[in-house]
Amino acid sequence: MVLLTASGRAFAGMNDTLQAIQESEFSFARTTSELPFYPVGWTQDRYYPVASFKESGGNLPSATMVENTLNVGTVLPAYVAKRDMLLLGGDLAWDDLTVKTGPYPDQSILRVTPVGAWLHQFGENETVGAFAAPILSKNLESSDAWGTSGYAGIIALHYFSPEYQLLYGGVYQNSFGQSMGYPYVGLLWLVSPRCQLSIVFPWPTFTYSPQDRWLLQLGLAPGGSAWDNWESNLQTTESIGSWNLTAGAAYRFYDKLWLFAGAGVAGLRGIEIQTGTDRTTFDSQPSAVFTLAIQFRP
């Protein structure tokens, strides 16, 4: 009874927030789309079956490995006014890398990513947001030290019409002391009230809702983890990454909760190990990737 009461209050609070957004002057509150909103809360498991990794241009032994990544997170409006909105939340992730063959240890990576963003509506058709998402990561198998990385940036949305919106801006990335910046640009095209093409770097997505309780998606998104290892005061930065092309379907099974299942191909997958100026890379052929998630879509 206590859990049901708490859930009811949470949904009531979210409904009040959605009502405040609809009554605000934000451009995205004027949508004619019948698609469900983007997930603002999630529990997700992403599984990569056994894949082979071979050193690029070297003589180190190859390896086969299984990867499983579990994420739990949310990003929600904490304050909504006519032209301003504060978003707060984060993501907690556990990435388990199990070596099946090869003389390499298993890895268990914990990542904590707090997220904060501020949105402001300039004029009638321009929404600008600034965000920061620091990432704290730790190898639970071999290190007591936390590594730091993260993202920050400014992204704007220009509202041409209910069918077309332009996204543009810039993103700063810091990866364990190495920094870079890159542009962010994309186009949101509402093909029909139940069909949208999001041409946004680096995660283009096609979304179609045949009816109120079903959602079909095809999208490309990055995956992976990065962490620090320390031994005798020597820092080694390791990372595993891929680009995942996934097709999936979501079903609304209760109120605003959706069950999503997807399958696809993990391409450009590899492992990088860097100690000082020395860098070792292990490459893998494209392999399968499976995703199962529960999403909260207001």
Side-chain angles (χ1 to χ4, degrees):
M1 179 64 71
V2 173
L3 180 59
L4 291 175
T5 301
S7 300
R9 290 175 179 173
F11 282 126
M14 179 55 64
N15 288 332
D16 291 342
T17 300
L18 290 174
Q19 183 66 28
I21 293 174
Q22 290 295 328
E23 294 174 355
S24 73
E25 298 180 11
F26 281 98
S27 297
F28 51 77
R30 297 175 290 173
T31 180
T32 59
S33 171
E34 296 179 22
L35 294 169
F37 198 72
Y38 299 101
V40 298
W42 55 88
T43 297
Q44 174 179 283
D45 186 80
R46 180 172 290 158
Y47 176 71
Y48 303 82
V50 174
S52 298
F53 292 82
K54 183 178 180 181
E55 186 190 4
S56 176
N59 298 314
L60 292 176
S62 59
T64 60
M65 186 182 66
V66 172
E67 181 181 4
N68 193 78
T69 304
L70 178 65
N71 294 78
V72 178
T74 184
V75 177
L76 295 170
Y79 169 78
V80 179
K82 286 293 185 182
R83 287 177 171 261
D84 292 281
M85 186 185 307
L86 174 65
L87 302 173
L88 295 175
D91 182 78
L92 178 66
W94 174 55
D95 201 358
D96 183 67
L97 311 175
T98 302
V99 177
K100 296 296 185 179
T101 63
Y104 306 104
D106 296 342
Q107 308 278 7
S108 184
I109 312 304
L110 178 66
R111 296 196 316 275
V112 181
T113 308
V115 177
W118 184 271
L119 304 181
H120 182 76
Q121 184 69 33
F122 287 94
E124 184 178 357
N125 297 319
E126 212 77 29
T127 307
V128 178
F131 74 93
I135 302 173
L136 305 175
S137 60
K138 179 179 180 179
N139 187 345
L140 300 177
E141 298 290 342
S142 60
S143 177
D144 293 329
W146 288 86
T148 57
S149 57
Y151 298 86
I154 298 177
I155 307 295
L157 181 145
H158 181 76
Y159 186 92
F160 286 107
S161 68
E163 291 76 29
Y164 297 99
Q165 295 90 45
L166 173 68
L167 285 167
Y168 62 96
V171 175
Y172 166 79
Q173 176 184 357
N174 183 280
S175 180
F176 304 97
Q178 299 182 0
S179 301
M180 65 175 294
Y182 49 87
Y184 186 95
V185 64
L187 177 69
L188 304 180
W189 175 24
L190 188 65
V191 182
S192 73
R194 291 188 174 272
C195 180
Q196 184 182 60
L197 181 59
S198 174
I199 312 171
V200 179
F201 174 82
W203 36 70
T205 305
F206 176 78
T207 304
Y208 173 64
S209 177
Q211 52 180 276
D212 290 341
R213 302 187 77 92
W214 284 97
L215 184 69
L216 306 178
Q217 282 191 322
L218 175 66
L220 181 68
S225 296
W227 62 95
D228 273 349
N229 281 325
W230 289 85
E231 185 174 350
S232 301
N233 294 324
L234 183 64
Q235 179 187 14
T236 299
T237 300
E238 302 183 27
S239 63
I240 180 169
S242 65
W243 285 92
N244 302 325
L245 179 63
T246 301
Y251 176 72
R252 181 167 61 88
F253 66 93
Y254 177 76
D255 199 29
K256 297 176 175 62
L257 295 178
W258 294 71
L259 177 65
F260 174 86
V265 177
L268 301 177
R269 197 171 180 214
I271 299 173
E272 185 176 281
I273 303 172
Q274 183 168 347
T275 305
T277 59
D278 296 331
R279 179 176 300 177
T280 303
T281 302
F282 289 80
D283 296 322
S284 175
Q285 294 296 318
S287 58
V289 58
F290 302 96
T291 303
L292 185 65
I294 295 177
Q295 302 169 339
F296 176 64
R297 294 173 175 264

